[in-house]
Amino acid sequence: MELAILISGRGSNLGAILGAVREKRLDARVRVVVSNRPSAGGLDLAREAGVATAVLEHGAYPGREAYDAALVALLRERGVDTVALAGFDRLVTGVFLRAFPGRVLNVHPALLPAFKGLHAQRQALDYGARIAGVTVHFVDEQMDHGPIIAQAAVPVLDDDTEQSLSDRLLAEEHRIYPLALQRLARGELRVVGRRVIGGLP
Ligand code: GAR
């Protein structure tokens, strides 16, 4: 699997994926790590791991589709066939999804379809949820939406803060994202309607 990882921030999920590749738990080559923000901390992580990086700033393009066309051109040039969004804070358009059909994944810190969007952990706390969790899913044109490949639940504790809950959720993101990608790499996932056959757990 020829993987690109798209980030906007610190890149801890990127780190988990790079670790899984290094430890041969994930049969993939990371061709490039792309950020839409030059300040993304994850770029340093990638460089330290000897992975190629690129910055494509969305502000330099007239709209989402123009930006996505540039992203597609860059990824094609690097021989990418699969894309993992890992804290990438842009919605991708059909231009992007049609270039990599069924090969774009995202991780979200909630049990979708609950708590989409920003600050999902705070949304879960504010709502009073007793169970929170994380989701890895195929990406479609809606935000935090698309067939679900993997989910993991964590309890919400009485004394949880947004930080403590986020930390517990992040550990689950780091665990299930590489597992989900490995299922895809091994050709074990099949989408039937809205359901993914071969997902986990
Ligand atoms: C992660 O918690 C990820 O699930 C979330 O952004 C964070 C990125 O952290 N993504 C979303 O909320 C998508 N809607 P990271 O840069 O350390 O991987």
Side-chain angles (χ1 to χ4, degrees):
M1 192 160 78
E2 308 295 345
L3 192 60
I5 304 172
L6 271 52
I7 63 168
S8 300
R10 71 191 155 177
S12 73
N13 278 287
L14 160 69
I17 295 167
L18 291 176
V21 171
R22 196 167 45 240
E23 292 163 15
K24 304 199 184 307
R25 287 181 283 117
L26 174 55
D27 303 321
R29 270 191 298 234
V30 181
R31 290 292 190 138
V32 65
V33 170
V34 185
S35 175
N36 60 323
R37 300 183 188 279
S39 61
L43 289 169
D44 291 330
L45 259 182
R47 289 184 197 113
E48 282 159 19
V51 173
T53 61
V55 174
L56 221 54
E57 292 188 72
H58 54 271
Y61 296 85
R64 288 186 189 284
E65 297 201 332
Y67 180 69
D68 281 3
L71 263 181
V72 168
L74 169 71
L75 300 187
R76 286 226 163 105
E77 192 182 294
R78 305 294 176 111
V80 166
D81 60 32
T82 304
V83 182
L85 307 183
F88 186 62
D89 63 9
R90 305 287 299 169
L91 264 183
V92 295
T93 66
V95 168
F96 190 84
L97 296 172
R98 282 191 293 276
F100 304 102
R103 307 289 299 185
V104 184
L105 278 64
N106 182 44
V107 65
H108 183 71
L111 290 174
L112 292 176
F115 311 133
K116 298 183 170 88
L118 291 175
H119 309 298
Q121 305 93 334
R122 191 192 305 158
Q123 292 184 56
L125 281 177
D126 289 349
Y127 196 85
R130 302 300 299 181
I131 301 280
V134 302
T135 302
V136 177
H137 62 96
F138 286 112
V139 173
D140 65 17
E141 288 187 53
Q142 298 175 50
M143 182 182 56
D144 298 325
H145 190 268
I148 291 171
I149 302 166
Q151 291 187 307
V154 308
V156 179
L157 307 179
D158 287 343
D159 60 355
D160 258 335
T161 61
E162 189 177 347
Q163 187 62 52
S164 64
L165 179 59
S166 298
D167 291 347
R168 207 170 322 113
L169 289 168
L170 203 57
E172 288 300 296
E173 295 184 43
H174 297 168
R175 186 178 68 77
I176 70 170
Y177 208 177
L179 290 174
L181 285 163
Q182 177 67 349
R183 293 268 167 112
L184 183 68
R186 293 174 64 94
E188 292 170 354
L189 302 179
R190 196 159 49 87
V191 181
V192 179
R194 286 207 53 82
R195 293 185 66 197
V196 175
I197 308 303
L200 54 126

